[in-house]
Amino acid sequence: MTRTRYARFPDQANRAHPQAVALTPTAVSERRSIFEPRLASLTQIGENRLAARTHHGTVSMNLHEYQAKAIFARMGVPIPSGSVAHSPDEAVAIAQKLGGALWVVKAQIHAGGRGKAGGVKLCRSPAEVRAAALALIGTRLRTHQSGPDGLPVSAVLVEGGSAIAREFYLSLLVDRSRECLSFIASPDGGVEIETVAEEHPDRIVTVPLPSAASGVPGYVVRILAGRLGLPRDLFPSFEKLLAGLQESLLTTDASLIEINPLIMTESGTLIALDAKVTLDDNALFRHPDLAALDDPSQRNPAEEEAERAGLNYVALDGDIACMVNGAGLAMATMDLIQLKGGQPANFLDVGGDATAGRVTQAFHLFRSNPKVRAIFVNIFGGIVRCDLIAEGLITAMREAAPKVPVIVRLEGTRAEEGRHLLSQSGLPIEAIAGLAEAAERAVQAAGGAA
């Protein structure tokens, strides 16, 4: 499946230091947009699976928190004591082994916002640990990042409680705009970084790493520690933590490593209380051990099917299915649908070499989505000929037999011939030449306001 995860690209210079950059709300929203986990040319990126899988431009794979923390532990990044459980009995056994009087039970899904959604539970007895695990394992957890259907919880992470004095935000990512790695930090951790960027953008700092640097330069440590307000006696341990994050990213070919929150305990130690790691899918052939960590239950089934068919597909929440050739045109098409009062049900780029087979597969995907109330096909014939697309549409319509209105806009090479084929097919296809007119008709067909 194709999923794009845009990194937080800094673009506003911080006058306090030439290497420090404040993160703007625009940059953050770009990172977390609906095309975030998913396409770099719209390039939302999916997850590689094992080497036997064929790749179609996918570039990221998420890890569960417990998997990310295992990497941290190997690289010397301090984490809480804990272990993963797949049943309530396992959760209780882990809590008893950890000892103490306070535990945290955390649902393991590939989405943020678990705390607000009830996926992180504080427990003060083994009985509460059991109840928390029972309430989470085998259910679907819906957060603001998971989509409307939520994600299945098949495991929980059980950790000992921490005495938190302060919370911070810290991440390391591949900063493609600067062609280097960049640390991003904020003294306001434990909350959505987007909220901080919107309300207090001055409290987020980005510090690029010199491309030729080996290790984390001292000035980077000092800038980040200073902006977080860490006491000076924590600088050495903070430097080791930063080095561990850098080693984690480089060793695993990750594109993003995020800790939110990084905490300072009441005893004055730093601990990664949460962990997020996004791996570069294109490098997984070097890491079969990491590829084996992929969790297919966390992916959209339609996106999985689309990937196997060689389609760049991202499921959205609207009711107008879109099939377009070219990522830029697809994004413009979805913008136009929204401008006309409708909501796209998906992003779908069939590619410049669209075939009848791909078009047919796209229609099968549309049929599998019960929310779809209209289909909008927008093709510009540059590389591909519009008459060939029309033939593919006719074949797809006869095989997949969609039960909703189909609006087609063809423009470019042999567009007139393509429209003629559609009009003579005897199929319920509305061929419209104008883009705005076609988008309006699609919205109307779906029962929208255009």
Side-chain angles (χ1 to χ4, degrees), residues 160-244:
S162 299
I164 302 173
R166 294 183 60 191
E167 296 183 326
F168 313 100
Y169 174 89
L170 180 64
S171 66
L172 175 64
L173 54 86
V174 176
D175 187 339
R176 302 185 191 280
S177 65
R178 283 177 164 73
E179 299 182 356
C180 67
L181 303 181
S182 292
F183 279 106
I184 298 176
S186 172
D188 301 324
V191 297
E192 287 296 319
I193 195 67
E194 295 83 6
T195 302
V196 179
E198 182 177 350
E199 299 177 358
H200 305 286
D202 57 310
R203 293 179 67 79
I204 301 177
V205 63
T206 299
V207 184
L209 288 174
S211 57
S214 60
V216 181
Y219 75 87
V220 172
V221 178
R222 291 190 293 272
I223 292 173
L224 292 171
R227 290 297 296 268
L228 293 179
L230 296 178
R232 188 162 292 275
D233 61 353
L234 279 184
F235 280 28
S237 59
F238 184 59
E239 181 176 13
K240 291 180 181 178
L241 186 148
L242 295 179

Side-chain angles (χ1 to χ4, degrees), residues 284-299:
L284 280 178
F285 70 93
R286 292 198 290 260
H287 308 284
D289 56 330
L290 297 178
L293 300 179
D294 183 42
D295 183 355
S297 73
Q298 300 295 301
R299 298 191 296 270

Side-chain angles (χ1 to χ4, degrees), residues 255-309:
S255 58
L256 169 69
I257 288 180
E258 184 176 73
I259 304 174
N260 188 22
L262 169 70
I263 66 167
M264 182 176 72
T265 67
E266 292 178 355
S267 61
T269 59
L270 295 173
I271 296 177
L273 201 61
D274 196 4
K276 177 178 182 178
V277 172
T278 299
L279 303 176
D280 184 341
D281 187 47
N282 293 311
L284 280 178
F285 70 93
R286 292 198 290 260
H287 308 284
D289 56 330
L290 297 178
L293 300 179
D294 183 42
D295 183 355
S297 73
Q298 300 295 301
R299 298 191 296 270
N300 182 292
E303 292 177 345
E304 280 287 282
E305 182 181 349
E307 183 183 359
R308 289 192 294 270

Side-chain angles (χ1 to χ4, degrees), residues 324-334 378-380 409 435:
V324 189
N325 64 326
L329 182 60
M331 295 176 72
T333 300
M334 292 187 293
N378 184 18
I379 300 295
F380 178 78
R409 181 255 184 176
L435 177 55

Side-chain angles (χ1 to χ4, degrees), residues 104-119:
V104 182
V105 177
K106 308 170 80 173
Q108 297 299 284
I109 61 171
H110 289 175
R114 293 173 299 169
K116 292 181 180 179

Side-chain angles (χ1 to χ4, degrees), residues 250-435:
L250 295 176
T251 301
T252 63
D253 287 308
S255 58
L256 169 69
I257 288 180
E258 184 176 73
I259 304 174
N260 188 22
L262 169 70
I263 66 167
M264 182 176 72
T265 67
E266 292 178 355
S267 61
T269 59
L270 295 173
I271 296 177
L273 201 61
D274 196 4
K276 177 178 182 178
V277 172
T278 299
L279 303 176
D280 184 341
D281 187 47
N282 293 311
L284 280 178
F285 70 93
R286 292 198 290 260
H287 308 284
D289 56 330
L290 297 178
L293 300 179
D294 183 42
D295 183 355
S297 73
Q298 300 295 301
R299 298 191 296 270
N300 182 292
E303 292 177 345
E304 280 287 282
E305 182 181 349
E307 183 183 359
R308 289 192 294 270
L311 300 172
N312 294 321
Y313 178 89
V314 179
L316 302 175
D317 296 331
D319 55 11
I320 301 176
C322 303
M323 185 176 75
V324 189
N325 64 326
L329 182 60
M331 295 176 72
T333 300
M334 292 187 293
D335 284 345
L336 185 57
I337 287 174
Q338 290 185 299
L339 181 65
K340 299 299 182 180
Q343 292 293 327
N346 61 271
F347 166 94
L348 174 58
D349 172 15
V350 294
D353 58 343
T355 64
R358 288 189 183 182
V359 173
T360 301
Q361 186 62 41
F363 272 74
H364 282 301
L365 287 173
F366 298 156
R367 282 203 62 176
S368 68
N369 184 352
K371 296 180 182 178
V372 170
R373 300 173 65 183
I375 296 173
F376 182 26
V377 179
N378 184 18
I379 300 295
F380 178 78
I383 299 174
V384 65
R385 286 166 36 186
C386 290
D387 57 339
L388 295 180
I389 287 290
E391 291 174 357
L393 284 170
I394 292 169
T395 300
M397 287 281 288
R398 287 173 176 160
E399 181 176 330
K403 301 183 183 302
V404 297
V406 178
I407 293 85
V408 178
R409 181 255 184 176
L410 299 177
E411 190 56 75
T413 306
R414 300 183 69 85
E416 185 175 346
E417 290 85 345
R419 288 193 290 269
H420 178 73
L421 286 172
L422 294 177
S423 65
Q424 297 299 311
S425 68
L427 295 170
I429 300 174
E430 297 183 52
I432 299 175
L435 177 55

